[in-house]
Amino acid sequence: MRAAAAELGIMVTLLATQSGIKGGSIARYPAYAHAIGNAVTVQVTVDEISGPIVIALWLWMAWTSSRGKQRGRIALAVFFGLTSLSVLYSLSQGSLVYAPAAMSVGLGLWAIAAAAIMLIFNKASSPYFQRREPVLA
């Protein structure tokens, strides 16, 4: 649930700082103003479309994990890997310089996902995710 809220925070932050991201990038590279404006608009549009899908995935993973389903654990591990790659990609593209607010919220999301991974794959939580035979009354 916290990761879904963090993802919503990322969407709000990107929408709120879109003009600042454009302005800062254009000020740094004025010769590419038109291309930068288009690139930022396209990226924000992609984030607006993918954001609700990612929020729904986080909620689904929380729901399946709360029911002790193994597929929730696997999906969380895959999603954590994708989130890690996304953070590394953003760092390599200079997001700390051009979009520090969005990057800091993204790092917060990564920290939440890392905590979830540590808790779900903890030895103490493993029995919760093991297959149980139905009890016949």
Side-chain angles (χ1 to χ4, degrees), residues 1-121:
M1 293 293 282
R2 294 178 201 270
E7 190 67 41
L8 181 62
I10 290 172
M11 287 181 57
V12 169
T13 303
L14 278 173
L15 291 174
T17 61
Q18 177 180 2
S19 61
I21 294 169
K22 276 185 191 178
S25 300
I26 290 171
R28 184 167 252 181
Y29 302 105
Y32 303 108
H34 183 68
I36 290 171
N38 287 338
V40 170
T41 302
V42 166
Q43 184 61 48
V44 169
T45 303
V46 167
D47 290 339
E48 287 174 347
I49 292 168
S50 65
I53 295 168
V54 172
I55 290 170
L57 283 171
W58 278 115
L59 292 173
W60 175 79
M61 286 184 288
W63 180 78
T64 57
S65 295
S66 72
R67 290 182 174 40
K69 305 288 184 186
Q70 192 68 22
R71 65 179 165 252
R73 287 174 95 184
I74 294 168
L76 181 61
V78 169
F79 218 64
F80 176 70
L82 292 173
T83 302
S84 298
L85 289 175
S86 173
V87 166
L88 290 173
Y89 177 75
S90 296
L91 284 171
S92 72
Q93 297 300 310
S95 290
L96 281 175
V97 174
Y98 301 112
M103 188 66 204
S104 63
V105 176
L107 287 171
L109 174 67
W110 180 87
I112 291 169
I117 283 288
M118 285 186 254
L119 291 172
I120 284 182
F121 286 99

